[in-house]
Amino acid sequence: MVFRLSDVFLPSWEEAPGSLPDAEEIEGTVVDFSDSGSLACVFAVVEIVRRQTVIVPIERLRLVGES
């Protein structure tokens, strides 16, 4: 999956890998899903290349190579 660093929900993007600019897209692997209150599977737990796990809204993810 591909997403922008600014789309990371947890940790805040300021606490995520600091050397990456906000506009840069990041590639990662979905390793789990998380609910939001009564809504199921709203967030994806994504492991990024730097071996840091972040939580991203599913609606903000794109498949690699997708426009």
Side-chain angles (χ1 to χ4, degrees), residues 9-48:
F9 182 71
L10 288 173
S12 66
W13 71 268
E14 295 91 353
E15 297 170 358
S19 62
L20 298 173
D22 177 45
E24 185 171 340
E25 292 188 331
I26 301 170
E27 185 175 331
T29 302
V30 175
V31 295
D32 204 354
F33 295 95
S34 178
D35 301 339
S36 177
S38 62
L39 300 174
C41 293
V42 173
F43 297 99
V45 180
V46 180
E47 186 176 276
I48 59 177

